[in-house]
């Protein structure tokens, strides 16, 4: 999943942030999810920072384990920045597009 992150993190960065408690690591048999709590003045969301492997398994893990943990930690929603193809998979699980992220690198 890091190859789609536009160079923001290396695996060493992610491992260090997990060890520091800034990110949470959710392994499954055939995949893994890395999350982070994002606090805003009026809302706290659990951002799915990285997801890789069997996407169906990751979605099931989100419903069964990650969401209850997120609720216990004050989150009221999931959020994910990702490739547009994820939306097709997530729509039937109650997700919706809220906004699109666009970027232009400095010249």
């Amino acid at each position: 999943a890091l190859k789609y992150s536009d160079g923001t993190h290396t695996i060493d960065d992610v491992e260090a942030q997990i060890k520091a408690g800034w990110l949470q690591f959710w392994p499954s048999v055939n995949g893994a999810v890395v999350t982070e709590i994002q606090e805003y003045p009026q809302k706290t969301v659990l951002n799915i920072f990285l997801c890789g492997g069997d996407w169906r398994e990751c979605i099931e893990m989100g419903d069964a384990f990650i969401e209850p943990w997120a609720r216990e930690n004050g989150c009221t929603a999931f959020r994910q920045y990702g490739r547009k193809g994820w939306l097709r998979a997530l729509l039937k699980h109650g997700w919706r597009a809220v906004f699109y992220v666009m970027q232009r690198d400095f010249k």
Side-chain angles (χ1 to χ4, degrees):
L2 279 175
K3 70 181 178 180
Y4 300 108
S5 71
D6 198 35
T8 61
H9 295 72
T10 66
I11 190 66
D12 292 333
D13 297 328
V14 173
E15 289 175 356
Q17 289 182 320
I18 290 169
K19 287 178 185 172
W22 299 335
L23 299 175
Q24 302 79 43
F25 179 61
W26 304 91
S28 66
V29 175
N30 297 303
V33 177
V34 177
T35 60
E36 64 180 329
I37 294 176
Q38 293 180 331
E39 294 185 33
Y40 300 96
Q42 303 299 317
K43 188 173 195 171
T44 301
V45 300
L46 190 70
N47 179 48
I48 298 176
F49 174 62
L50 296 170
C51 183
D54 183 329
W55 62 270
R56 290 175 190 89
E57 199 173 285
C58 291
I59 291 171
E60 290 171 8
M61 185 171 43
D63 292 341
F65 303 107
I66 301 173
E67 183 177 340
W69 179 88
R71 285 178 182 273
E72 288 175 12
N73 285 276
C75 298
T76 59
F78 279 122
R79 179 161 290 160
Q80 175 177 326
Y81 302 86
R83 294 178 293 129
K84 204 170 181 179
W86 270 105
L87 184 58
R88 283 191 307 272
L90 295 173
L91 283 172
K92 58 186 151 210
H93 295 277
W95 288 70
R96 61 189 169 89
V98 177
F99 50 84
Y100 293 95
V101 177
M102 274 118 323
Q103 175 175 309
R104 182 183 67 84
D105 293 335
F106 297 150
K107 297 178 183 181

